[in-house]
Amino acid sequence: MDNFLKKGERIEDLGLKELKIIQNPDFFCFGMDAVLLSWFVARRTRGALHMIDLGTGTGIIPLLLYGKTTAASITGLEIQAPLVEMARRSMALNGLSAQIKIIEGDIKDPGSEILPNYYDVVVSNPPYMRAKAGLKNNCETKTVSRHEVLCNIEDILIFSKRMLKDRGRLFLVHRPERLGDIISLMRTYRIEVKHLQFVYPSIKKEANLVLIEARKSGNPGLKTDAPLIVYNEEGQYTREIYDIYGMTPPE
Amino acid sequence: MDNFLKKGERIEDLGLKELKIIQNPDFFCFGMDAVLLSWFVARRTRGALHMIDLGTGTGIIPLLLYGKTTAASITGLEIQAPLVEMARRSMALNGLSAQIKIIEGDIKDPGSEILPNYYDVVVSNPPYMRAKAGLKNNCETKTVSRHEVLCNIEDILIFSKRMLKDRGRLFLVHRPERLGDIISLMRTYRIEVKHLQFVYPSIKKEANLVLIEARKSGNPGLKTDAPLIVYNEEGQYTREIYDIYGMTPPE
């Protein structure tokens, strides 16, 4: 498999239907948020849906959605050429180049390959931080992945409003501190939040992630699912996290 | 103490500094939401603040705030005359008629006793249900306490915008399903949600209440506190709920 790899890259086994992904520690590597988001989408959808992942990076979410859902089509959109190239190699490595399309493009100006009112599901694990907030990572690829330099919440909503079918759904993972921005902006675009699930590092700690499901032209009214707790009081992953990762907890 | 009571009424001991409250099962009796909200306010504030409770009902929240905070003044505003009368008797029963003022009035048209830009804290455990949603209770007092007949979220925000000091805070308890309405309306009034705490009946269940802290002229950015779980897996109150009620858990 080494002919799939460039210098500094490694192959990670996803522990799901023998799927593998190429990662490069010099870029932004996928984290638990991508895994939780894919699990959340899989749990909340069924059937032969058309799905697109915005800012797909190395393609982790399309691969996990392929493994966990019965989607009719899965597309990943990514603006950064080195990541597009890497994601495409990961798809080839899995023999999934036909099943998962990786498109190079800007969500603010998507090309003609992306059709309006076509998608049932838009997914995104977007940059969490405002463009001007916090320290920026020197490496440009990591900066773009973490900060709203090339893509912010409003860009995702504009894209979703245009590309989702009526009543289609947008799934996001984000930091709870941005929830005020997200919910109020969504309403502006008539995309209504329908489900929230907060992720707490432990039962005694503040939430550090929130999983969001919203519906184009949805009515007000949302449910907040049972809390997702990452570590138990002994500092080990909870049963639920082991389940989500498809791993067996130690006896 | 029976001379304080009318037919059908009873006195409940609040288990806090010997405070007592008159309740009437024919009206809306206070629930865990009022207790959790008072605890949340007490935990999130300090000092000699001016506090007002909107739709105070039988006066439970002013009494609990009196017991749990060092507020400079506590006012309860209530539109329903029979509840105002009952709340005033509860204050007299506790010898607190001077310390806690119960005002009869409409939050949409508060009288001159309520001063603009005066309050540090506005608190409310408002009706949860939209005026047209769900079955209405036949008893008018209960209907008004449960449904947005005389007071809705926007009325509370308009009141808060006017009566809070700049940077003053609004504390609410509400159903999570209304969170989209609440957060987006708040932003319209430049009252920004700053803290959320979700209350889950058990660790495996959807949240059924949310405690909300918002700030007049606040900046975007919120924290989601550790989950508040009501029952443990054995179906008993959790340690935290016992603490909030000031009770000792059984050995």
Side-chain angles (χ1 to χ4, degrees):
Chain A
M1 293 202 179
D2 283 354
N3 54 336
F4 280 100
L5 294 183
K6 293 184 175 177
K7 187 160 175 282
E9 292 179 347
R10 61 166 190 257
I11 292 177
E12 282 193 29
D13 193 310
L14 295 178
L16 173 71
K17 299 183 181 171
E18 304 192 340
L19 295 170
K20 291 169 182 59
I21 190 165
I22 300 166
Q23 297 281 282
N24 183 341
D26 291 339
F27 294 164
F28 186 87
C29 294
F30 79 87
M32 182 178 280
D33 26 16
V35 177
L36 296 181
L37 178 61
S38 307
W39 164 81
F40 185 63
V41 174
R43 187 163 69 79
R44 303 276 322 142
T45 59
R46 65 174 65 185
L49 305 179
H50 296 290
M51 299 186 174
I52 184 164
D53 177 36
L54 307 185
T56 200
T58 56
I60 179 65
I61 289 175
L63 279 171
L64 292 173
L65 291 177
Y66 180 83
K68 288 170 184 277
T69 73
T70 54
S73 73
I74 301 175
T75 302
L77 179 63
E78 175 55 48
I79 195 168
Q80 301 186 79
L83 295 178
V84 168
E85 190 276 330
M86 225 172 114
R88 285 182 180 152
R89 270 189 290 124
S90 280
M91 302 312 141
L93 172 70
N94 288 287
L96 293 176
S97 298
Q99 289 84 346
I100 301 175
K101 192 167 16 169
I102 304 293
I103 297 178
E104 183 176 344
D106 185 348
I107 74 163
K108 295 198 287 294
D109 183 23
S112 57
E113 279 183 281
I114 293 171
L115 304 173
N117 303 305
Y118 176 76
Y119 296 95
D120 302 286
V121 169
V122 169
V123 181
S124 189
N125 176 6
Y128 294 150
M129 286 179 268
R130 290 167 189 280
K132 288 173 188 168
L135 286 171
K136 294 195 184 175
N137 196 297
N138 290 326
C139 164
E140 202 204 343
T141 306
K142 285 187 182 175
T143 301
V144 167
S145 302
R146 286 184 179 144
H147 293 261
E148 293 180 329
V149 180
L150 297 180
C151 155
N152 64 27
I153 295 164
E154 192 154 17
D155 299 329
I156 291 172
L157 295 176
I158 292 168
F159 180 99
S160 301
K161 179 85 179 167
R162 182 160 167 231
M163 303 304 175
L164 278 175
K165 289 178 186 164
D166 198 46
R167 315 275 303 155
R169 287 181 286 170
L170 167 63
F171 290 87
L172 295 175
V173 59
H174 222 292
R175 293 269 174 84
E177 57 253 45
R178 301 298 302 276
L179 201 56
D181 296 335
I182 294 170
I183 289 181
S184 43
L185 264 177
M186 279 185 170
R187 190 157 284 194
T188 311
Y189 288 94
R190 286 222 58 210
I191 294 172
E192 187 69 28
V193 58
K194 298 303 295 174
H195 263 90
L196 296 176
Q197 186 163 28
F198 290 89
V199 182
Y200 301 89
S202 81
I203 202 166
K204 301 286 186 202
K205 291 201 174 148
E206 282 175 16
N208 61 354
L209 290 173
V210 57
L211 301 164
I212 302 168
E213 176 189 342
R215 192 181 283 279
K216 181 176 171 179
S217 314
N219 293 319
L222 71 88
K223 286 185 185 294
T224 304
D225 294 350
L228 193 55
I229 315 287
V230 176
Y231 293 101
N232 65 20
E233 286 170 35
E234 286 80 46
Q236 294 157 333
Y237 281 142
T238 57
R239 176 103 213 171
E240 198 154 18
I241 294 295
Y242 275 114
D243 287 348
I244 291 169
Y245 272 88
M247 297 190 301
T248 311
E251 289 302 312
Chain B
M1 294 201 177
D2 284 355
N3 55 336
F4 280 99
L5 294 183
K6 294 184 175 178
K7 188 161 172 282
E9 291 179 349
R10 61 165 190 257
I11 292 176
E12 282 193 30
D13 193 311
L14 295 178
L16 173 71
K17 299 184 182 171
E18 303 192 340
L19 294 170
K20 292 169 183 60
I21 190 164
I22 301 167
Q23 296 282 281
N24 182 341
D26 291 340
F27 295 163
F28 186 87
C29 294
F30 79 87
M32 182 177 280
D33 25 16
V35 177
L36 296 180
L37 178 60
S38 306
W39 163 82
F40 185 64
V41 174
R43 187 163 69 79
R44 303 275 324 141
T45 60
R46 65 174 64 186
L49 305 179
H50 296 290
M51 300 187 174
I52 185 166
D53 177 37
L54 306 184
T56 199
T58 57
I60 179 65
I61 289 174
L63 279 171
L64 292 172
L65 291 177
Y66 180 83
K68 288 169 185 276
T69 73
T70 55
S73 74
I74 301 176
T75 302
L77 179 62
E78 174 56 47
I79 195 169
Q80 301 186 79
L83 295 178
V84 169
E85 190 277 330
M86 225 172 112
R88 285 182 180 153
R89 271 190 290 125
S90 280
M91 302 313 142
L93 172 70
N94 289 287
L96 294 175
S97 298
Q99 289 83 346
I100 300 176
K101 192 167 17 169
I102 303 294
I103 297 178
E104 183 175 342
D106 185 347
I107 74 165
K108 295 197 287 293
D109 183 23
S112 56
E113 279 182 282
I114 294 171
L115 304 172
N117 303 305
Y118 176 76
Y119 295 95
D120 301 285
V121 169
V122 170
V123 180
S124 190
N125 176 5
Y128 293 149
M129 285 179 267
R130 289 168 188 278
K132 288 174 188 167
L135 286 171
K136 295 195 185 176
N137 195 297
N138 290 325
C139 164
E140 202 204 341
T141 306
K142 285 187 182 173
T143 301
V144 168
S145 301
R146 286 184 180 143
H147 294 262
E148 294 179 328
V149 180
L150 297 181
C151 156
N152 63 28
I153 296 164
E154 192 154 18
D155 299 329
I156 291 171
L157 296 176
I158 292 168
F159 179 100
S160 301
K161 181 85 177 164
R162 184 162 164 231
M163 304 304 175
L164 279 175
K165 288 176 186 163
D166 198 47
R167 314 276 304 156
R169 287 181 287 170
L170 168 62
F171 290 88
L172 295 175
V173 58
H174 222 294
R175 294 270 172 83
E177 56 253 45
R178 301 299 301 278
L179 201 57
D181 296 335
I182 294 169
I183 289 180
S184 43
L185 263 177
M186 279 184 169
R187 191 157 283 196
T188 311
Y189 288 94
R190 285 224 57 209
I191 294 172
E192 188 69 28
V193 59
K194 297 304 297 175
H195 263 91
L196 296 176
Q197 187 164 28
F198 289 89
V199 182
Y200 301 88
S202 82
I203 203 166
K204 300 287 187 202
K205 290 199 175 151
E206 282 174 15
N208 61 354
L209 289 173
V210 57
L211 301 164
I212 302 168
E213 177 189 342
R215 193 181 283 278
K216 181 176 171 179
S217 314
N219 293 320
L222 69 88
K223 286 185 182 293
T224 303
D225 293 350
L228 193 55
I229 314 287
V230 177
Y231 293 101
N232 65 21
E233 285 169 36
E234 286 79 47
Q236 294 157 334
Y237 281 141
T238 57
R239 177 103 214 173
E240 198 155 19
I241 294 295
Y242 277 114
D243 287 348
I244 291 169
Y245 272 89
M247 298 189 299
T248 311
E251 287 303 312

